[in-house]
Amino acid sequence: MRLPRVHGSSRVRRLQVWRALSYAALIGLAAVYIAPVIWMALTSLKSPPEATAMPPTLLPARVTFESYEALAGPGAQAPVLRWLLNSVLSAVAHALLVLATAAPAAYALARMEFRGKRLVLAALLSTLFIPPILFLPANYLIVRALGWLDSLPALVVPPAASAFGVFFLRQFFLDLPRELEEAAALDGATRLQVFWKIVLPLSKPALATLAVLCVLSNWNDFLWPVYVLFNPEKLTLSPGLALLQAAHATDYALVAAGAVVASVPILAVFIAAQRYVIEGVARTGLKE
């Protein structure tokens, strides 16, 4: 009678060991990603000589906000706050435009039947395998022809043609129960009303996930703003912070402070939308 108990307790111990090892591995992986962020934040609080001291110090000997004052104080070396505002406007407008264009296209590919549907979907997905840098010359010529160079629309409109956004939302729409849409259609709802009043409210997790991904993509974009923006006042944070590095000497405390300024809004967005992001990724299937 004791053998099953011994076997059961042994199995419980093995599960506990595996759980402990899993938590230890997750903590170690988290430390790998968090350590550079902590180092960056601590470096931003050091004086310029201490930031380049050898051997390096982890904690600042004297906490100072000189670097932040140099970025955003009255005598700021660069218009960082202006860059921050430009980045916020560009990222939010880009995310909204992607949602406005990708959601209807994804719904059409998920629910509507029309000739050439599979061909359209295949052509759309094939663009995901093309390196984005190949689109730079064509997008630049289009933006120049429209007179959008050195302006906010140049950062918002061209990247809004998101094949990934259409595919991502389509996969989510495929998992939604058709019965709800059919019931609404029987009550006299049009296709547009079904999409607006039923599909979109049920798709908040996927929409929030896609919005966060779009904000991240636009916020971190460096190459495209360099191509289309010429006035330093109109730069976004990614190319703007690169100007903080001098040709012969770099103030690492100042650069770290700029990186902190660029990171905090994105961390806040992700923390606020974390629940929706996890739910959206978990519920998005890969079925046809």
Side-chain angles (χ1 to χ4, degrees):
M1 296 298 295
R2 295 181 178 180
L3 289 178
R5 294 181 181 179
V6 173
H7 178 73
S9 61
S10 176
R11 182 179 180 183
V12 170
R13 284 196 296 270
R14 286 199 301 269
L15 291 176
Q16 291 175 344
V17 170
W18 278 111
R19 182 174 298 177
L21 292 176
S22 300
Y23 281 125
L26 291 174
I27 292 173
L29 185 62
V32 170
Y33 286 95
I34 294 175
V37 178
I38 296 176
W39 182 273
M40 175 184 68
L42 293 175
T43 301
S44 69
L45 300 176
K46 299 177 182 178
S47 62
E50 186 181 2
T52 56
M54 293 300 295
T57 58
L58 176 60
L59 299 176
R62 181 178 64 87
V63 175
T64 176
F65 296 93
E66 295 176 358
S67 299
Y68 293 97
E69 292 176 359
L71 288 177
Q77 301 179 12
V80 176
L81 295 181
R82 177 69 181 183
W83 297 342
L84 178 62
L85 177 61
N86 294 340
S87 294
V88 170
L89 293 176
S90 175
V92 172
H94 170 69
L96 293 177
L97 186 57
V98 169
L99 294 179
T101 55
Y107 181 72
L109 291 173
R111 288 292 192 256
M112 300 176 65
E113 296 297 332
F114 53 90
R115 183 177 299 178
K117 173 181 173 179
R118 291 188 174 273
L119 181 61
V120 171
L121 180 61
L124 184 72
L125 294 180
S126 65
T127 62
L128 295 175
F129 300 95
I130 302 176
I133 195 172
L134 296 181
F135 296 112
L136 283 179
N139 286 338
Y140 178 84
L141 293 176
I142 294 173
V143 169
R144 187 181 66 176
L146 294 173
W148 288 352
L149 289 178
D150 207 21
S151 65
L152 183 62
L155 302 179
V156 174
V157 178
S162 175
F164 170 78
V166 175
F167 174 72
F168 180 81
L169 292 180
R170 172 185 177 271
Q171 299 306 118
F172 189 90
F173 293 160
L174 288 174
D175 285 338
L176 294 178
R178 288 179 176 269
E179 291 78 8
L180 296 176
E181 301 174 47
E182 293 172 355
L186 290 176
D187 290 337
T190 63
R191 178 76 71 172
L192 181 58
Q193 289 174 329
V194 170
F195 172 71
W196 184 258
K197 295 184 178 181
I198 295 179
V199 175
L200 290 185
L202 292 175
S203 305
K204 288 181 181 179
L207 296 174
T209 302
L210 181 59
V212 170
L213 294 176
C214 292
V215 168
L216 286 173
S217 174
N218 189 274
W219 189 276
N220 295 324
D221 193 7
F222 176 84
L223 188 59
W224 179 244
V226 170
Y227 261 74
V228 298
L229 300 179
F230 314 115
N231 187 346
E233 292 285 337
K234 296 183 179 180
L235 290 177
T236 54
L237 275 173
S238 292
L241 293 178
L243 300 179
L244 299 178
Q245 302 184 28
H248 303 288
T250 300
D251 188 343
Y252 289 101
L254 184 66
V255 174
V260 170
V261 172
S263 302
V264 168
I266 289 300
L267 290 175
V269 168
F270 182 79
I271 292 173
Q274 182 180 11
R275 178 170 64 89
Y276 295 103
V277 171
I278 295 174
E279 184 180 354
V281 173
R283 290 181 56 186
T284 301
L286 296 175
K287 68 180 183 179
E288 284 296 328

